Amino acid sequence: MAEDYDSRLLESARVRKHRLDDSVLFGRNLQERTYATATTRLMQSLLIAALIAAICVGFSFVQHLLSEQAAKQTVPTASVSLSKGTL
């Protein structure tokens, strides 16, 4: 009977230590930790997506401006030369 009591006591201490370790590592409430972690990941994902979208829009805008500038430089300006006898 004494061994049974001792083994139950040791098992109880082991479970209590395990719960205490989990509490220190992961927080008090597992459901609350999961919700906070999921919300944080969602906000981080949205921030990264917005940053990538802004970079793409900025790159496209700069590329469009440079192509317009290059097109203006390559198009020769038409000069009209009038001779004195045509008017």
Side-chain angles (χ1 to χ4, degrees), residues 28-70:
R28 197 175 65 179
N29 188 354
L30 184 61
Q31 293 296 329
E32 183 179 318
R33 179 181 58 88
T34 303
Y35 175 75
T37 303
T39 304
T40 303
R41 285 184 183 167
L42 176 68
M43 291 300 159
Q44 289 173 349
S45 299
L46 289 175
L47 181 66
I48 290 170
L51 183 63
I52 290 172
I55 290 171
C56 289
V57 169
F59 179 76
S60 176
F61 179 72
V62 169
Q63 188 176 13
H64 179 70
L65 284 179
L66 291 175
S67 66
E68 279 185 352
Q69 186 180 20

Side-chain angles (χ1 to χ4, degrees), residues 16-29:
R16 198 170 288 155
K17 181 187 177 302
H18 181 69
R19 287 181 182 166
L20 192 64
D21 289 343
D22 286 347
S23 177
V24 167
L25 289 175
F26 302 117
R28 197 175 65 179
N29 188 354

